[in-house]
Structure formats: structure tokens, C-alpha cells
Amino acid sequence: MTNTDPYPGLPAGVPPFHAPPDGFIRRALGAGWADFRAAPGFGILTGLAAIIAGWGLLGLTLWAGHTFWLILAVFGFPLVAPLCALGTYEVSRRLGMGQSAGVGDVMTRLREERGRQLPWLSMLMVVALLFWFFLGHMIFALFLGLKPMVNVTTSLDVFLSSDGMMMMALGTVVGGIFAFIFFAMCVLGLPLLLAREVDYMTAILTSFGHVQAHIVPMLTWAAVIVVLMFLAMLPGLLGLLIVLPWLGHASWHIYAQMAAGAR
């Protein structure tokens, strides 16, 4: 029988996971930066794609006159940012194994993932983003649906009203819950699916359980991601050119420090 697995040498099953070691965030950021400098090609393409997509969304919302959707997109982007940076995981994995990590090598690997488990988790993340847009619009309609507002830049007083403040408070809580759930599912789940032969539900549950077991250090890593991503989006999204791939490489090293025998 012909083996149709494109990566038959991948180890099977979930590896033992350790607690996050002291200084694991600092080491991950340092190793991620080193990987970005060693093989910047795919990371730069990833950052450029995110910037172009963001500019396109901005233009579309301004043209349609519904800039509130831009707020939802800004807060929803962290839900799918790990998916955007998935190729940088493969770059770091290949560099760690002493393999070539060019753009062609990574693209070939990602294409071959179509027959494995990553597409299932990817679709789940996309559906979650769409649901966040729907839920965010419902929250907006509940509090500000009857308020006269053209766009965010000309109607700040509406957001500063009592209804506007309540809307932002509820939206922040709901968005935070969404963000935590998907961070917990993907922070170890995505690299695990890339590196091992496991099904996507096992990867999700493993990641979620490990985050719950080590909530403080893992939430600290989540906070670092949020702060750096927010700063990267301030200068017209241009910071994503560097920060998105850097965090992608670092995310692989977060996994590698906790997964025994990670490769």
C-alpha cells in the first residue's frame, strides 16, 4: 500500500508538556528574532499580506460609510493572527532541524497540509472571526442602533455617552472571552498540529488544558502579544511587517520550550 502521508516521518501523538520555564518569553522573543533575521523571506511576505489586507478593509469600510466594522476587525484580528503567521512556525521548525527554510520550502509544506488536520482548526478560527463580527454588530445595535452616527471619527461623542460606554464595556468583555478561548486553543494547538501526527480536537484540548494549568505565565505571553500587535498597528499597520512574523517565530519557540522533543 502506498503511504499518502506527505510527512510520514512526523512523530505521532502528543508529546509530554512541561511547565513554562523561567524566562521562557524572553528566550522565545530572542530566538524568534534570530529566526526572522536568518530567514526573513516568508515572514516579510506574511507581514505585507496582513498590511495590504488591513488597508483594503479600511478602504472598503470608508467607502461604505460603516467604519464601525473597522473596530470589530481590529479587535478580531488577534483571533486569526496565529493562522496568518502559521508559515513562520514552519520556518522556525525547519531552521531548528537544520533544513532549508526558503519561501518555496514553506509554501510546499503548507500546501501539503491540506490533507492533514490543520485545515479543520483553520476553518474553526475563520468561523469564530465571522461570529465575532456578527456578535459585535448585535452589541452595537443593542446600545447604539438608534443613535445618529456617521462614522467613528466624526461621532466620538456617541461612544462617550452612557450607552456608548456600556457598549464598549460589554464588547471588551465579550471580545476578551473570545480572545482567551482562541489563544488557549491555538497557542500550542497550531504548532502541535504542524509538528506531530495528532487530530485537531486532541491538539485543541491539549493546548487548552496546558494553558489552564499554567494560567499566569501563559496569560503573560498573551499580554505580550496583544501589546506588541497593538503597537504594530498604530503606524498605519506598518509595524506588522516586522512584529507579525517576529511573534510567529517566537510562538513556535514558546511551544518548543514546553513540548518534550519538539522538532
Side-chain angles (χ1 to χ4, degrees), residues 77-90:
F77 180 68
L79 294 178
V80 293
L83 187 59
C84 298
L86 182 61
T88 59
Y89 297 1
E90 176 63 9

Side-chain angles (χ1 to χ4, degrees), residues 58-81:
L58 174 61
L60 180 63
T61 53
L62 289 175
W63 173 79
H66 297 293
T67 48
F68 175 72
W69 291 100
L70 189 61
I71 298 176
L72 296 178
V74 168
F75 286 98
F77 180 68
L79 294 178
V80 293

Side-chain angles (χ1 to χ4, degrees), residues 5-7 42 45 86-87 90-91 93-94 99-116 118 194:
D5 182 359
Y7 282 83
F42 193 90
L45 288 178
L86 182 61
E90 176 63 9
V91 172
R93 190 187 77 89
R94 297 179 73 91
Q99 298 178 348
S100 172
V103 174
D105 299 313
V106 178
M107 292 300 296
T108 298
R109 172 68 196 274
L110 293 181
R111 283 196 300 268
E112 290 172 337
E113 285 292 323
R114 291 176 298 177
R116 299 182 67 239
L118 268 173
L194 192 67

